[in-house]
Amino acid sequence: MTFALETIGLDKQFGGLHVTRDLSMKIAAGARHALIGPNGAGKTTVINLLTGVIKPNGGKILLEGADITGLSVQARVLRGLSRTFQINQLYADLTPLETIGLAVSERLGHGGDWWRRMGTRSDVNAEIAENLARFHLLDVMNEPTGTLPYGKQRLLEIALAIATKPRVLLLDEPAAGVPQSERHDILAAVASLPRDVTVLLIEHDMDLVFSFADRFSVLVNGALLVEGTPDEVAHDPRVKAVYLGEGADA
Amino acid sequence: MSADHGVGEISLRRARWGHGETAFWLIAVAAIFVFSDRYLILTEMAWLGLFALSLDLILGYAGIVSLGHAAFFGVGAYCAGLLAVHGLVKEPVLALVVAGGAAMVLGFATSFLVIRGSELSQLMVTLGIALLLRELANKFSDITGGFDGLQGIVIDPILGLFAFDIFGKVGFIYCLVVLFVLFLLARLIVHSPFGLSLRAIRNNPLRAAAIGIPVNRRLIAIYTLSAFYAGIAGALFTQTTALASLDVFSFERSADLLLVLVIGGAGYLYGGLIGAVVFRVLQDVFSSWTPQFWQFWIGLVLVLIVLIGRERMYRGVLWLPRLVMRRMAFPGRSAS
């Protein structure tokens, strides 16, 4: 069976610091998979390895069976592996329309067009509108992103990742810092992600994790501690020990 | 139209010509008739404006800094001079394109060194390349004329029709037309998907890559184009002054260019043009006051601009014209 995303013996060291140890994960197509772990477990490093920001010292990354370990960040995006960012890394002075336009233009292969203005291709326009509409951003599409409410910015963050039409989406703490009043919109957006998109959720918020994911991987000190269904993980004594701070060696 | 919820309409609106833009170019054309005794300084403003526009493309849009943009200006200048002296390409417009092409080749070749690394290393690499070229031009003095510069540059009539006159009228109109054409191209580019992706890269290259934008390829492309523009500016300089000497590569030329862009502001295309006009006027005024100390006053103006802030100055200066224009353009509707 081919997995949507698979890592084989992934390893990363920064000098003497061993941040990812022999990590092998298999994520089935269409899964809602959560990657959890205490602070400093190396979750961010795993994202950076998967997306190609940093290269592993050893091991392989397979996207739908194809080896992508040597590919650049943007090549992985065009192959169908996208991510959202934890803290807002949106373009404050671009509008949501322009932001989504960037992703749609690249995906349809028109991002390098210099001989025509934005807005002249109806296929690009239609897809931009579709993405904005799905995430309820049409009413604010022409306002600078920096002036939008935080919740809207988080929605744009997810919309931007979806606009690249990913096969696998890495959601990095989508609800972090969102005020309670806007939380519902984010959770609804996450819940309504297309079923054919495989999602790997990296999250601290246990409510969100348990309501969303059907499979868990628990990362501790850069290594995989447990993998299983929510039930198995919740009742695993080792996981309890880690989260309660007992016996968690440094 | 309804399927895209007005997305196309809004996108296109951004690229629409404003009244201010039309006014700017009308004034430029009017200068041909109004300042008929100042063609030389007007011509300088035109090629300096083009040169600054080329820096704006990489600095204002792509976020690449350069302290050695004179490298491309110099290659364009010498190329135009050599083509004329040896009679290789006699027609000025064609020579202009060839000179721009030569600068472009250099731009492409050096882009790989420049786009890597931080702003500081960009400054050092660009500075180094310009110094290197200056020394090469000095070393091969049998080709370049060394410190004396190229001798015997005679420029043929433009398109075989318009001969350069001693007042510089033809030269100015020629520069203005070239500037306008290249400005239109730059304007098209910055409003294109390509131009938008440059803004994304300048703001956050990591994020741009995560959207699928090939960051390095885009930076190489704009750097190469910028070199082409700078080469054309250098060629215009040589063609209108019949000069090409080592100072086309000088550090001062690159540094002055940054001043021009600081005065006019980067990232909206007109900054370089306005900056070039203001810079040359200031230079002219100050040097007629105090021929030896004009740089002191330029420096003072620079400090004031940074302290007061360009935005605040513009708002003060443009308050009345903007009000009038708004009233005329959209009665009963507030302009966005």
Side-chain angles (χ1 to χ4, degrees), chain A residues 53 73-74 77-78 81-85 88-91 93-95 97-99 101-107 110-120 122 124-126 128-130 132-133 138 141-142 157 160-161 164, chain B residues 1-17 185-218 221 225 336:
Chain A
V53 175
V73 175
Q74 67 267 19
V77 176
L78 297 179
L81 177 66
S82 287
R83 67 168 292 189
T84 64
F85 285 80
N88 266 335
Q89 298 229 28
L90 291 164
Y91 295 112
D93 49 355
L94 298 189
T95 63
L97 193 168
E98 291 172 317
T99 308
L102 282 167
V104 172
S105 296
E106 293 301 334
R107 195 187 75 75
H110 301 298
D113 293 4
W114 54 265
W115 56 87
R116 56 174 191 84
R117 292 164 295 164
M118 280 301 285
T120 47
S122 54
V124 174
N125 292 344
I128 295 171
E130 186 192 317
L132 290 170
L138 276 173
M141 69 176 164
N142 202 26
E157 180 73 53
L160 182 55
T164 64
Chain B
M1 229 40 254
S2 58
D4 71 1
H5 298 282
V7 163
E9 164 70 18
I10 290 172
S11 304
L12 288 172
R13 203 184 296 159
R14 281 197 80 92
R16 206 168 286 166
W17 277 81
L185 178 65
R187 196 178 182 284
L188 177 68
I189 288 172
V190 302
H191 287 113
S192 71
F194 173 81
L196 184 62
S197 73
L198 289 181
R199 286 168 65 197
I201 291 168
R202 185 197 62 191
N203 280 324
N204 188 342
L206 181 63
R207 184 69 210 243
I211 304 174
I213 297 170
V215 173
N216 284 356
R217 219 187 310 158
R218 297 282 153 82
L225 181 78
S336 54

Side-chain angles (χ1 to χ4, degrees), chain A residues 11-47:
Chain A
D11 217 79
K12 180 69 191 177
Q13 301 181 32
F14 293 114
L17 202 61
H18 209 159
V19 285
T20 304
R21 302 160 190 257
D22 191 27
L23 181 67
S24 296
M25 285 197 303
K26 290 183 171 68
I27 298 168
R32 295 288 182 263
H33 199 113
L35 180 64
I36 60 173
N39 276 329
K43 299 189 293 288
T44 305
T45 306
V46 171
I47 296 182

Side-chain angles (χ1 to χ4, degrees), chain B residues 60-336:
Chain B
Y61 287 90
I64 304 171
V65 290
S66 171
L67 252 185
H69 222 48
F72 308 119
F73 184 90
V75 166
Y78 269 107
C79 193
L82 288 169
L83 290 174
V85 167
H86 299 290
L88 297 170
V89 179
K90 303 221 79 146
E91 201 286 310
V93 177
L94 198 58
L96 202 63
V97 176
V98 174
M104 197 168 162
V105 169
L106 178 71
F108 179 74
T110 55
S111 66
F112 297 90
L113 305 171
V114 174
I115 61 167
R116 298 179 182 280
S118 64
E119 294 195 339
L120 186 62
S121 60
Q122 286 174 355
L123 286 176
M124 292 303 116
V125 170
T126 50
L127 177 62
I129 290 168
L131 292 176
L132 221 79
L133 284 170
R134 186 183 176 281
E135 280 317 305
L136 280 175
N138 191 16
K139 176 92 179 140
F140 293 97
S141 54
D142 44 338
I143 301 172
T144 62
F147 269 103
D148 302 327
L150 270 179
Q151 302 297 318
I153 299 175
V154 180
I155 307 294
D156 276 17
I158 299 158
L159 303 170
L161 297 173
F162 310 102
F164 287 92
D165 58 312
I166 54 164
F167 305 107
K169 182 175 185 180
V170 169
F172 173 56
I173 296 173
Y174 172 53
C175 285
L176 194 59
V177 169
V178 171
L179 174 64
F180 185 61
V181 170
L182 289 179
F183 175 84
L184 286 183
L185 178 65
R187 196 178 182 284
L188 177 68
I189 288 172
V190 302
H191 287 113
S192 71
F194 173 81
L196 184 62
S197 73
L198 289 181
R199 286 168 65 197
I201 291 168
R202 185 197 62 191
N203 280 324
N204 188 342
L206 181 63
R207 184 69 210 243
I211 304 174
I213 297 170
V215 173
N216 284 356
R217 219 187 310 158
R218 297 282 153 82
L219 290 178
I220 289 167
I222 195 65
Y223 195 75
T224 305
L225 181 78
S226 168
F228 175 73
Y229 272 49
I232 298 267
L236 284 177
F237 164 77
T238 294
Q239 290 182 341
T240 53
T241 58
L243 287 173
S245 61
L246 287 182
D247 86 0
V248 292
F249 287 119
S250 71
F251 169 69
E252 286 78 10
R253 189 176 295 281
S254 301
D256 280 353
L257 191 66
L258 273 174
L259 289 191
V260 167
L261 213 50
V262 168
I263 291 172
Y268 70 105
L269 288 186
Y270 283 93
L273 312 191
I274 294 169
V277 172
V278 173
F279 181 76
R280 284 299 290 126
V281 167
L282 288 179
Q283 212 177 24
D284 207 45
V285 169
F286 292 147
S287 61
S288 63
W289 278 358
T290 55
Q292 281 136 35
F293 301 115
W294 66 270
Q295 279 184 311
F296 170 84
W297 295 104
I298 292 264
L300 188 68
V301 168
L302 197 72
V303 170
L304 284 180
I305 287 174
V306 174
L307 282 183
I308 298 175
R310 195 180 304 106
E311 279 295 311
R312 244 182 294 170
M313 267 173 25
Y314 277 179
R315 248 178 287 157
V317 175
L318 293 178
W319 180 76
L320 190 65
R322 275 197 182 144
L323 186 75
V324 172
M325 231 177 300
R326 220 173 290 168
R327 286 283 152 81
M328 288 191 324
F330 309 103
R333 205 191 108 190
S334 68
S336 54

